[in-house]
Amino acid sequence: MAAPSAATRRKLQRKFKLRGFTLKVDALEEAAAFLARFPDAEDDALDLLLDELDKEPLQSSILDRDAVRRVVALLVEAEEAVDVASPAATSARSALRVVDSFVVPRFHYDPIKKVFYEHTSRLAIHGEAGDKAALYRDRYQVLLQRLARDIYFSKPAFDTVMTEDDNCEITSIQSLIGCTGRRWIMGVISQLEERQFYLEDLTGAVNTCGFPPLEDREASLSMLMGLDFFGGGVIPTEETVRLSTLEKKAMNDMFVILSDVWLDNSETMEKLGVVLDGYDSLEAVPSLFVLMGNFCSRPCNLAFNSFEELRLQFGKLGEMIAARSRLKEHSRFLFIPGPDDAGPSKALPRCALPKYLTEELQKHIPNAIFVSNPCRVKFYTQEIVFFRQDLLYRMRRSCLIPPATEETSDPFEHLVATITHQSHLCPLPLTVQPIIWNYDHCLRLYPTPHTIVLGDKSEQKAFKYTGITCFNPGSFANDSTFAAYRPCTREVELSALES
């Protein structure tokens, strides 16, 4: 075995020291040999190794070869299990987990103990007055605890002489009474009186504002101690290793996303047939088709005729998919309702399409998935959020301060920056976009997912922001646009049919 490079030695010693471990020379060589198995994912492999060592009943913080070798053997065994797993266990279909908004776990933050704890009691759809207040309080606490870890806004660990410009420690509005000089606070923009906006926290209000900085996904995860914020269940470390390896090998897996698929429009249905034919002819067909509403060219009201027409159109769509035998056999179809589709209300999150509308399609495609809006998909270890809402237009209408144009003037890029910094898919006033108070947590983007798909009728766009892949597939009915996404590389292919 070749000796580890000086850079690898320094990395190992630094990372182990941060966890409270000291490496003997033979232990360092053992750890380096393990990292060499994952040249494209050294940092992930090292974190897994350290996580497992934390669970071991070690006699000393000074590690020898045997202590490291025991854990390495466990992780290598899990990694090698990939190659002998059955086809059913390693297929893209089994790696796909869809999480409906109404089963996403809810967590509250305790600012005293500085930990999250899971809400275990039943969540009512029709909340009480206190639930509305809790919605804003929980959003605030999530952002505040994130901000408190930022190096520019946290209190120095040691007493040092700092100027007002250097010290950006967050303080409450209440503590401003009797203070002079500049202070930093964080709060919610509110309109307490006509034409006057305030920045309000849990203790008071002032009138100025700015965005909280974004926190890296890995930094957030390290503070959550294995809590399942995304939904879909906690994955054991050994399974994470196995799935990570599979994910890197899934070069042919692809998701095709279409938004505004009007089933009552003959031209749209004809275009959809062209798209299905194109992908059916590929050597490796897509793993997943995501069809996002609206599914009608006009708002679907409560009239029986509208429901019956849409029900029959779903049946025709099922026949269209079933006619492409390779797609029916190897692809999954995920349906997400749009803002004007049938449902009990326009409040978010929206429940899945009513079974009455979808039963005709399921006769032809039994494994079709009908899910809420927004919804979450876990593919191997990757977390993807899908949201169908004409958000860009509504956010621009509700904008209080024009976005700065020094870095970009692209509205979509500003939208992505806003929702990620706010850790929320729809940070609009409840008067503009109603939200079910007890399910506001389903719209959170904390920790930040790997990919966010924003189905919007505006121009299709793709944008990578601080490592997060974000894109809008565009309106298929209006512009004949759609998108293909490759989870393995997180690459987005913006596509369109020729007119």
Side-chain angles (χ1 to χ4, degrees):
M1 180 185 70
S5 66
T8 300
R9 286 176 177 271
R10 286 195 297 271
K11 178 196 283 189
L12 286 168
Q13 288 168 342
R14 184 179 69 255
K15 286 271 194 176
F16 274 80
K17 188 175 181 179
L18 286 173
R19 296 286 188 102
F21 297 123
T22 301
L23 285 171
K24 291 185 177 180
V25 174
D26 55 357
L28 188 147
E29 292 174 349
E30 189 72 31
F34 174 70
L35 294 194
R37 290 173 165 268
F38 307 95
D40 298 326
E42 280 193 355
D43 290 339
D44 291 340
L46 181 52
D47 287 340
L48 287 171
L49 177 59
L50 287 166
D51 289 343
E52 284 302 303
L53 281 166
D54 279 334
K55 301 174 186 176
E56 289 288 300
L58 301 171
Q59 300 298 319
S60 170
S61 61
I62 302 174
L63 304 180
D64 58 15
R65 182 187 293 271
D66 291 339
V68 176
R69 180 173 286 174
R70 282 197 305 272
V71 176
V72 165
L74 176 68
L75 296 177
V76 168
E77 182 181 355
E79 191 268 336
E80 289 177 347
V82 170
D83 299 324
V84 298
S86 66
T90 59
S91 69
R93 179 170 294 192
S94 65
L96 185 72
R97 282 173 289 174
V98 178
V99 183
D100 190 278
S101 287
F102 293 94
V103 297
V104 172
R106 181 179 180 180
F107 291 87
H108 299 286
Y109 183 70
D110 186 334
I112 305 300
K113 297 181 179 178
K114 293 182 170 51
V115 295
F116 283 94
Y117 62 93
E118 187 170 359
H119 182 99
T120 55
S121 59
R122 182 177 176 274
L123 293 173
I125 294 293
H126 303 290
E128 300 177 352
D131 296 322
K132 182 179 181 181
L135 177 155
Y136 289 112
R137 185 172 59 249
D138 286 350
R139 283 195 204 177
Y140 176 82
Q141 293 287 13
V142 166
L143 291 176
L144 184 61
Q145 61 86 30
R146 193 186 79 187
L147 185 64
R149 292 194 296 273
D150 189 276
I151 58 173
Y152 296 107
F153 292 95
S154 56
K155 185 177 181 179
F158 303 98
D159 291 333
T160 56
V161 178
M162 301 184 71
T163 66
E164 287 186 356
D165 291 334
D166 294 330
N167 185 10
C168 301
E169 181 188 353
I170 297 296
T171 186
S172 66
I173 292 175
Q174 188 179 46
S175 66
L176 297 179
I177 300 173
C179 291
T180 59
R182 179 185 296 177
R183 295 291 186 273
W184 296 84
I185 62 172
M186 195 195 84
V188 179
I189 297 176
S190 59
Q191 188 174 10
L192 302 181
E193 55 188 275
E194 188 175 357
R195 297 184 180 178
Q196 187 66 54
F197 293 92
Y198 292 84
L199 190 62
E200 181 181 11
D201 70 2
L202 299 179
T203 65
V206 295
N207 51 354
T208 248
C209 59
F211 264 176
L214 187 61
E215 183 176 66
D216 179 73
R217 170 183 168 83
E218 298 305 320
S220 299
L221 289 173
S222 67
M223 301 299 296
L224 298 181
M225 300 176 292
L227 295 177
D228 179 28
F229 270 60
F230 191 80
V234 178
I235 304 176
T237 304
E238 296 85 352
E239 182 68 1
T240 300
V241 174
R242 191 181 80 86
L243 291 175
S244 296
T245 307
L246 280 173
E247 189 175 326
K248 291 178 175 62
K249 293 180 179 180
M251 299 296 294
N252 293 325
D253 284 303
M254 176 171 59
F255 297 172
V256 178
I257 302 99
L258 304 94
S259 181
D260 274 348
V261 183
W262 293 349
L263 302 183
D264 63 340
N265 183 284
S266 59
E267 183 181 351
T268 302
M269 292 294 282
E270 184 178 340
K271 292 190 295 185
L272 181 59
V274 173
V275 172
L276 294 177
D277 283 338
Y279 285 110
D280 188 49
S281 64
L282 296 179
E283 182 178 349
V285 299
S287 312
L288 180 70
F289 282 87
V290 180
L291 278 69
M292 308 170 82
N294 298 314
F295 293 110
C296 273
S297 57
R298 59 190 185 280
C300 190
N301 55 37
L302 295 178
F304 175 78
N305 289 342
S306 298
F307 276 22
E308 183 63 18
E309 180 183 358
L310 185 58
R311 178 174 179 268
L312 295 175
Q313 294 299 334
F314 265 107
K316 291 180 181 178
L317 176 60
E319 294 174 2
M320 180 185 293
I321 296 172
R324 282 82 177 174
S325 57
R326 296 181 68 238
L327 295 184
K328 180 182 178 181
E329 182 179 355
H330 300 291
S331 302
R332 301 295 299 272
F333 288 83
L334 179 67
F335 293 84
I336 302 172
D340 293 329
D341 282 323
S345 77
K346 291 187 178 294
L348 294 173
R350 290 180 62 101
C351 60
L353 291 166
K355 186 176 180 181
Y356 171 78
L357 298 179
T358 63
E359 58 187 3
E360 288 295 321
L361 183 145
Q362 288 195 300
K363 290 178 182 177
H364 302 282
I365 313 296
N367 61 359
I369 306 170
F370 297 90
V371 73
S372 64
N373 179 28
C375 79
R376 304 176 178 196
V377 169
K378 219 166 194 177
F379 188 71
Y380 294 111
T381 63
Q382 191 170 153
E383 297 179 354
I384 308 169
V385 172
F386 291 90
F387 186 38
R388 173 62 185 97
Q389 186 74 17
D390 296 325
L391 192 59
L392 182 58
Y393 171 75
R394 304 181 76 182
M395 290 287 284
R396 295 184 74 179
R397 280 202 63 178
S398 300
C399 183
L400 299 177
I401 301 173
T405 57
E406 286 82 2
E407 296 184 11
T408 180
S409 58
D410 190 310
F412 182 74
E413 294 183 9
H414 282 295
L415 172 63
V416 170
T418 299
I419 65 174
T420 51
H421 280 266
Q422 294 294 319
S423 291
H424 200 276
L425 277 172
C426 191
L428 287 167
L430 296 184
T431 53
V432 176
Q433 175 54 65
I435 290 176
I436 302 174
W437 300 338
N438 281 325
Y439 287 88
D440 179 72
H441 65 283
C442 307
L443 282 81
R444 288 182 196 159
L445 297 173
Y446 180 80
T448 52
H450 299 96
T451 302
I452 304 172
V453 184
L454 299 172
D456 197 292
K457 65 181 179 184
S458 60
E459 179 187 3
Q460 66 174 179
K461 289 276 185 177
F463 178 46
K464 281 206 171 185
Y465 185 65
T466 64
I468 309 166
T469 302
C470 304
F471 64 95
N472 167 26
S475 175
F476 184 68
N478 290 319
D479 305 323
S480 305
T481 56
F482 58 100
Y485 174 68
R486 296 188 179 275
C488 178
T489 58
R490 299 183 197 167
E491 292 179 356
V492 182
E493 302 169 9
L494 298 180
S495 307
L497 295 179
E498 293 183 358
S499 56

